[in-house]
Amino acid sequence: MADSDTILGNAIVVEAKYRTMCRLIEDCGYRTCVDLPCGYTPKALHLTRKGLRFVGLDLPIVVQEIAPIIRSLANHSERMTFCEVDATNYESLEAALRDIDEPLCITTEGMMMYFTENEVDTVIDNVRNLLEIHGGCWITPDPEVKLQFIETFCSVFGESSLAKLATTGNAASRQSGIVELFNSFILDEADVIGSRKTANALLAKHGLKAERINLAEYMSELSVYNQLTSEQILRFKEAMSRCNYWVIILDDTRKPQAVQKQQHFEMSYALENGILRLTLRGRVDSISAPKILTAWESEKNVNVIDGVEIDCSKLEYISSAGIRVLSNIHGDCSRGVKFLNVNSSVSEILVGPFVGLQQKKSPNSAEKLQRTNSTEP
């Protein structure tokens, strides 16, 4: 972002979320914060100084980078843990929290809007499962994050806010090649009441219920105020009274649901006559997808590969991380990627992202996938 005002607007939102979330975590009554994703923030330092236990969960590349930095700055490193997980992979979440025997304050900040409908449903189910086992609550600003951006930019920048919001939206969209920062959990600024009902219905489907907590009541003074006029600060504070964070708990009237066991990822492959034949089993997500990429690159470096055929008969799930890897592979070989024996749940995930690729070769490829259970994008 080259525009200094756009950078400032984002800085206001980021600091407001950070400080408000820290206060909500401190006040929730639970002493273990599970931050998913933990990202590159000093939240672990702040909360462990307050006597809380901090469990930072994120993708491997983030944990590998942030954990040693945070530990080097910490006075209470014994109170913090960092684990590599995928939010859509329940086994990775369960393993990270296996030794904790107290209620959890699970926090998700800036994550839920990057998921497809299928993924957001899986993540909510995973959080519900963790609350069933450990107890506690889930705190997130994500359902109303678009509203917070709009209210912030409009209050600070007035008539020029729309252009700056568009720049912010474009920058955020470039961080995800699969979705458009919207799903049933994220409120639509054009239909707040209707989309709020949709989000609550989604939670209810998973045995959860939400209380909306007003942001203005929990926000501390911000250091970024030194870049604003007194009038801008007043307008911003008033605007934040129209924004809410969600505290989500198990619905007491729900029927406890059994955790569905997920298959472990397995892969085998062989190169035959220029075709790399892959067999995938279980889940392809951000933990397992790099293994596919590694296999592809190791073969490509020593052999000519014209195309890839993937047997999906034992494939249970594929996340947007897996889609990105397969999209990259598709663009890197002349005959592309062909999916064989695709079940209905996986085909529903594959059709959308691969339709754009398929149209370059076959306008009816989406229909072909549904009709023949096989497609060549």
Side-chain angles (χ1 to χ4, degrees):
M1 299 180 187
D3 175 51
S4 60
D5 280 350
T6 304
I7 296 173
L8 174 60
N10 279 267
I12 297 169
V13 173
V14 168
E15 187 179 358
K17 285 199 298 181
Y18 174 79
R19 297 196 183 282
T20 304
M21 287 292 288
C22 284
R23 284 196 60 186
L24 285 168
I25 294 165
E26 291 173 48
D27 291 354
C28 75
Y30 304 118
R31 307 304 296 170
T32 296
C33 173
V34 177
D35 199 25
L36 173 68
C38 61
Y40 299 92
T41 78
K43 196 177 292 178
L45 301 176
H46 174 84
L47 295 176
T48 53
R49 279 198 301 267
K50 296 287 186 176
L52 277 69
R53 180 178 182 179
F54 180 87
V55 182
L57 307 180
D58 214 314
L59 299 176
I61 188 173
V62 179
V63 169
Q64 291 162 17
E65 290 181 344
I66 193 65
I69 296 172
I70 292 292
R71 290 186 183 283
S72 72
L73 299 171
N75 293 323
H76 301 284
S77 59
E78 74 281 359
R79 297 176 187 163
M80 60 180 66
T81 305
F82 293 90
C83 298
E84 302 173 4
V85 304
D86 182 304
T88 69
N89 186 316
Y90 180 72
E91 287 190 351
S92 69
L93 299 173
E94 181 188 36
L97 304 175
R98 190 167 291 154
D99 296 331
I100 297 178
D101 58 358
E102 61 181 313
L104 309 175
C105 175
I106 300 172
T107 56
T108 61
E109 180 184 339
M111 177 179 75
M112 300 299 286
M113 67 286 300
Y114 287 102
F115 290 131
T116 63
E117 287 292 346
N118 185 284
E119 288 173 320
V120 79
D121 200 66
T122 299
V123 171
I124 292 174
D125 195 59
N126 289 346
V127 172
R128 191 279 320 285
N129 288 339
L130 294 176
L131 293 179
E132 292 271 17
I133 294 171
H134 297 276
C137 69
W138 171 21
I139 304 177
T140 179
D142 288 358
E144 301 192 26
V145 66
K146 288 187 177 181
L147 304 183
Q148 185 177 349
F149 268 98
I150 292 170
E151 291 285 0
T152 297
F153 276 65
C154 289
S155 66
V156 174
F157 302 118
E159 293 181 356
S160 64
S161 60
L162 292 181
K164 301 180 192 306
L165 281 166
T167 301
T168 296
N170 291 335
S173 295
R174 288 195 296 270
Q175 297 180 48
S176 175
I178 303 302
V179 295
E180 298 180 357
L181 306 178
F182 182 79
N183 54 56
S184 296
F185 192 62
I186 308 302
L187 269 58
D188 182 356
E189 64 276 17
D191 181 17
V192 174
I193 295 176
S195 57
R196 186 185 298 143
K197 291 180 179 178
T198 299
N200 278 307
L202 178 62
L203 291 174
K205 184 182 78 170
H206 292 280
L208 298 167
K209 62 181 181 180
E211 176 186 2
R212 295 165 63 233
I213 303 295
N214 189 266
L215 188 159
E217 296 176 5
Y218 280 85
M219 189 168 64
S220 307
E221 291 294 298
L222 307 183
S223 60
V224 76
Y225 284 166
N226 63 14
Q227 300 182 55
L228 303 177
T229 66
S230 57
E231 290 80 7
Q232 286 175 315
I233 295 172
L234 286 173
R235 291 198 302 268
F236 169 71
K237 288 182 175 180
E238 196 276 329
M240 291 303 95
S241 67
R242 297 188 290 272
C243 297
N244 300 279
Y245 290 5
W246 291 31
V247 178
I248 301 166
I249 60 174
L250 293 169
D251 187 343
D252 293 336
T253 64
R254 79 199 187 286
K255 293 181 179 179
Q257 302 179 33
V259 176
Q260 298 294 320
K261 190 171 181 61
Q262 298 174 342
Q263 289 184 329
H264 292 289
F265 174 77
E266 295 179 10
M267 175 183 65
S268 60
Y269 62 93
L271 185 64
E272 301 176 8
N273 300 319
I275 302 297
L276 184 64
R277 304 187 190 281
L278 282 165
T279 299
L280 303 179
R281 178 188 179 93
R283 300 173 50 83
V284 175
D285 51 38
S286 56
I287 294 176
S288 54
K291 298 176 183 178
I292 300 175
L293 188 61
T294 298
W296 160 256
E297 290 177 341
S298 65
E299 287 293 327
K300 186 183 67 169
N301 288 338
V302 295
N303 296 292
V304 175
I305 303 178
D306 300 318
V308 178
E309 291 187 358
I310 303 178
D311 183 352
C312 301
S313 59
K314 297 180 180 179
L315 181 62
E316 179 184 271
Y317 180 86
I318 183 167
S319 74
S320 53
I323 295 290
R324 280 191 290 272
V325 166
L326 297 181
S327 297
N328 290 338
I329 293 174
H330 169 83
D332 207 16
C333 55
S334 60
R335 294 176 60 181
V337 177
K338 183 177 182 180
F339 300 98
L340 305 173
N341 306 314
V342 185
N343 65 43
S344 57
S345 60
V346 172
S347 69
E348 183 178 346
I349 300 171
L350 289 174
V351 166
F354 278 97
V355 161
L357 295 173
Q358 290 176 348
Q359 287 174 343
K360 297 176 183 178
K361 295 183 178 182
S362 171
N364 298 317
S365 55
E367 294 177 7
K368 181 180 177 184
L369 175 57
Q370 295 172 338
R371 186 175 62 252
T372 66
N373 208 29
S374 168
T375 189
E376 184 172 0

